Amino acid sequence: MPELPEVETVRRGLVQALLCKRFSDVFVYRSDLRFPIPENFCSALKGRTVSELVRRGKYIVGILDSGCAFILHLGMSGRAKIFDSQTPYHPEKHDHVMLETEDGIRIVYHDPRRFGFIRLEDAAKWQELPPFDRMGPEPMAEEHVFNGQILREVLLSRSGPVKNVLLDQRVVAGLGNIYVCEALFDAGISPERSAYSLGESECSRLARSIRKILERAIDAGGSTLRDYQKTDGSLGYFQHQFSVYGREGRPCGGCDCGKGAVVRTVQAGRSTFSCPVKQV
Ligand SMILES: [Zn+2]
């Protein structure tokens, strides 16, 4: 499931392909995604230029010169495929939307599980609408937007395990199961700890780890971005070395615990991977 780094990778790919480009054609092959694609989607985009592409949490927001914004969420399995003007494109299974720019680039939204969705909103107001109105700080933003102290203030009012609390987009934007596990491992904090029990220095450590883990993953995504046209043109998923995620029973990456076996537990119905020695 795409989390902040994967969504950011898709955004950067779309910036290269779409920014300041005009849509010459828009096709919807299948509109029943998690929410139906708006009926006026094609007419709202056709002939319009993308003036800005931003990311907020796990959402990509494209601002059009008409004052309209399209908001994309990749759901569980959404991808963007980009075809240059030299590459023939034939719609494949699970291709739901195709955008064509004036210079012949085609961007295809591909989503086998159809949990993703696209909305149209007023570009001046999208930030005031749910879920953006209550979304937590961007963890990659400047130090004054997200730091240990800001994180601690939110965690102090939460009694649940820190692992579950960090998945709440109102606490921090963009984190999902993978990067929460990795950040807690990096910070040496047990996923079972009550959120409010984390002290000042632990919160600083955790905030730094979140930033570091995400930066690293975005760098890994950046290297696939340079190669994506050599593969199948799809963006947003990349091979990335995890320390604990998906490594049950295997050594914890870069851990000096000596025992070296990642443990899998289940919290709120989702797998948690951790090192019981390093994380306390
Ligand atoms: Zn370990």
Side-chain angles (χ1 to χ4, degrees):
M1 183 166 170
E3 300 183 26
L4 189 154
E6 292 81 15
V7 177
E8 177 62 21
T9 303
V10 172
R11 185 193 72 84
R12 291 180 184 188
L14 293 180
V15 164
Q16 290 176 13
L18 278 184
L19 200 62
C20 302
K21 304 281 178 64
R22 192 182 300 275
F23 291 118
S24 55
D25 231 333
V26 180
F27 297 93
V28 173
Y29 303 118
R30 181 158 188 172
S31 66
D32 57 334
L33 304 185
R34 186 180 346 164
F35 309 115
I37 291 176
E39 279 179 16
N40 60 338
F41 180 73
C42 295
S43 59
L45 267 68
K46 231 184 222 179
R48 292 298 173 185
T49 301
V50 182
S51 50
E52 211 183 330
L53 275 158
V54 296
R55 182 191 51 73
R56 181 76 173 102
K58 300 178 197 170
Y59 292 80
I60 293 170
V61 182
I63 311 289
L64 302 173
D65 61 349
S66 59
C68 178
F70 64 91
I71 300 179
L72 170 67
H73 191 284
L74 301 170
M76 310 277 283
S77 57
R79 289 161 196 253
K81 301 195 284 185
I82 301 180
F83 298 85
D84 62 29
S85 55
Q86 314 301 317
T87 311
Y89 167 66
H90 307 287
E92 287 181 287
K93 201 175 179 193
H94 309 305
D95 286 356
H96 306 311
V97 176
M98 197 267 272
L99 311 169
E100 193 172 352
T101 66
E102 259 178 359
D103 55 355
I105 290 174
R106 282 138 301 159
I107 291 104
V108 176
Y109 179 67
H110 176 95
D111 187 356
R113 298 184 66 181
R114 287 187 289 118
F115 274 104
F117 57 92
I118 302 173
R119 281 163 54 181
L120 287 176
E121 301 292 352
D122 182 338
K125 290 206 182 118
W126 67 270
Q127 295 181 76
E128 297 158 28
L129 303 171
F132 306 106
D133 56 342
R134 295 179 69 193
M135 203 175 267
E138 280 294 325
M140 306 287 293
E142 296 85 351
E143 182 73 23
H144 70 271
V145 176
F146 180 70
N147 59 42
Q149 209 181 331
I150 288 169
L151 182 60
R152 184 155 193 249
E153 273 163 35
V154 193
L155 296 187
L156 273 175
S157 63
R158 301 296 196 104
S159 57
V162 62
K163 154 80 195 302
N164 300 349
V165 171
L166 288 175
L167 289 174
D168 184 340
Q169 301 297 297
R170 293 170 298 183
V171 174
V172 189
L175 294 180
N177 210 30
I178 296 175
Y179 297 104
V180 166
C181 290
E182 292 290 308
L184 286 168
F185 170 76
D186 189 75
I189 293 167
S190 164
E192 310 277 350
R193 289 271 302 277
S194 295
Y196 67 78
S197 76
L198 267 61
E200 227 167 277
S201 64
E202 289 176 311
C203 286
S204 302
R205 226 160 62 214
L206 181 54
R208 274 199 306 272
S209 292
I210 289 171
R211 198 183 282 270
K212 182 175 102 186
I213 293 295
L214 294 174
E215 267 167 14
R216 237 189 243 161
I218 289 172
D219 285 348
S223 53
T224 62
L225 199 55
R226 287 188 286 275
D227 293 336
Y228 74 87
Q229 279 164 322
K230 291 178 201 154
T231 55
D232 63 346
S234 68
L235 280 171
Y237 296 80
F238 38 86
Q239 292 300 314
H240 184 57
Q241 198 61 48
F242 297 121
S243 297
V244 286
Y245 187 82
R247 294 178 59 89
E248 184 181 10
R250 290 161 62 199
C252 7
C255 187
D256 54 9
C257 64
K259 299 212 170 168
V262 173
V263 169
R264 186 182 82 95
T265 52
V266 175
Q267 291 180 284
R270 307 192 63 186
S271 291
T272 299
F273 299 91
S274 61
C275 168
V277 179
K278 176 179 170 166
Q279 293 175 254
V280 292

